Amino acid sequence: MLFPLKTILIDDEQLALSRLRRLLEKHPDTFDIVSEAKNGAEGLVEIDKHHPDVIFLDIEMPLLNGFEMLSKLTKMPLVVFSTAYDQYAIRAFEENSVDYLLKPVENDRLMKTIEKIKNITQAGNGHSGNFNPYSENLLRLLEEMKPKKEIFSLSVKSGDRILLIPMTEITHFEAEEKYVFLNTLDGQKYLLNYTLTSLEEKLPKHYLRVSRAGIVNSHHIKEIQKHFNGKYVIVMRDRKASQVTSGSTYGDAIRHLLDN
């Protein structure tokens, strides 16, 4: 990135927009304000048109809020959130965006943001191509915020029939070579047409990936036994008291279960 940074301001409050512009125009060597937008939908148009280096983004806006707008971007600029709502100034966005500013924006607080932007940009100038250390984390966070569709059952084939297995009866999933199997409380085992990765993306949060070959329903865990090399043996509450061995790199997920 080269200074001054191409900058877009996105806010549905004209007074807030004008105030932010006045403050940023005091730093012409750092910011070149190329456009403004009054909502997320306009913001998408202006970002596509100007390809900014940095955007100052309100969160609560009509049509598309700030988070919804960001989720539609294919290339992420540096993002500074501005909001009047303290509840949005949460640690996750403090860590994954460049910064956040509470309205009304004060010059002293803005100076700290400018310093952060300069540090990030200078670090990026030592790398090839566009360098934004926050983009990947922010995109991942936005993806995690998307509500998962609630699912109540999974369909499996049994001979010529298609059965609907309630999620409440599923204890765990296991991969064997190229196949993935669903296991139930009554000890039944069914072949699925899913990969474990695709299952992991659609299952509720209480289903936990514990190895490359296993996902367990934490609601149906009977006990957890320490194994060797940082692994655990998870005993399920099904008719067969099935045992699922965790992978050594999944220890944090298991320990999180033990702490709860």
Side-chain angles (χ1 to χ4, degrees):
M1 294 182 191
L2 298 176
F3 287 98
L5 303 176
K6 286 196 293 183
T7 304
I8 292 179
L9 314 182
I10 306 172
D11 197 316
D12 65 321
E13 300 176 50
Q14 187 57 49
L15 286 176
L17 205 59
S18 299
R19 177 182 177 83
L20 185 57
R21 174 181 275 275
R22 287 197 305 272
L23 291 173
L24 293 178
E25 284 177 341
K26 295 178 182 179
H27 306 276
D29 294 339
T30 304
F31 301 106
D32 174 21
I33 301 174
V34 295
S35 183
E36 295 179 356
K38 295 180 181 177
N39 55 60
E42 287 184 11
L44 287 175
V45 173
E46 295 306 308
I47 289 170
D48 185 60
K49 179 179 178 181
H50 295 284
H51 305 288
D53 301 307
V54 58
I55 60 175
F56 286 78
L57 178 64
D58 189 17
I59 296 176
E60 282 295 322
M61 296 183 294
L63 300 184
L64 289 174
N65 67 35
F67 300 151
E68 291 167 337
M69 190 207 79
L70 288 177
S71 70
K72 296 181 181 297
L73 295 180
T74 55
K75 182 179 178 183
M76 188 72 68
L78 296 174
V79 178
V80 178
F81 288 111
S82 60
T83 175
Y85 299 97
D86 237 342
Q87 69 263 33
Y88 289 120
I90 56 177
R91 187 172 302 170
F93 287 97
E94 187 174 11
E95 292 174 354
N96 294 295
S97 65
V98 173
D99 208 353
Y100 66 87
L101 298 167
L102 291 178
K103 298 178 185 178
V105 176
E106 300 294 339
N107 188 63
D108 289 347
R109 180 63 182 82
L110 179 62
M111 291 302 297
K112 295 180 180 179
T113 300
I114 292 172
E115 191 64 29
K116 289 183 73 172
I117 290 173
K118 287 182 176 179
N119 289 338
I120 292 167
T121 304
Q122 288 166 2
N125 287 338
H127 296 71
S128 60
N130 292 325
F131 176 72
N132 182 347
Y134 295 89
S135 293
E136 185 176 342
N137 288 343
L138 184 53
L139 286 169
R140 186 185 304 116
L141 184 64
L142 291 167
E143 187 64 29
E144 290 173 357
M145 288 178 62
K146 291 181 181 178
K148 289 187 177 181
K149 292 182 180 178
E150 189 173 2
I151 56 176
F152 299 96
S153 63
L154 287 178
S155 60
V156 299
K157 287 188 68 176
S158 179
D160 294 330
R161 298 180 301 159
I162 294 178
L163 306 179
L164 293 178
I165 310 298
M167 299 303 296
T168 54
E169 294 182 13
I170 299 171
T171 57
H172 61 291
F173 302 89
E174 55 188 341
E176 299 177 7
E177 297 180 350
K178 296 181 180 180
Y179 303 102
V180 174
F181 294 91
L182 175 159
N183 296 268
T184 62
L185 284 169
D186 60 4
Q188 297 299 310
K189 185 173 181 176
Y190 300 96
L191 179 65
L192 282 176
N193 287 322
Y194 291 101
T195 64
L196 283 185
T197 299
S198 63
L199 276 173
E200 191 177 15
E201 291 174 354
K202 71 181 295 173
L203 290 171
K205 288 185 177 180
H206 60 274
Y207 283 83
L208 186 68
R209 185 77 176 260
V210 296
S211 72
R212 292 180 64 184
I215 296 175
V216 300
N217 181 348
S218 63
H219 291 176
H220 292 318
I221 293 175
K222 183 177 181 181
E223 61 182 76
I224 300 175
Q225 304 167 357
K226 284 190 176 180
H227 204 38
F228 57 88
N229 293 337
K231 299 180 180 180
Y232 295 84
V233 173
I234 303 165
V235 182
M236 305 309 299
R237 202 180 296 276
D238 59 355
R239 181 176 294 175
K240 298 185 294 186
S242 300
Q243 295 186 358
V244 180
T245 302
S246 71
S248 56
T249 58
Y250 292 81
D252 286 345
I254 309 300
R255 285 187 286 273
H256 179 71
L257 270 182
L258 295 172
D259 290 340
N260 290 336

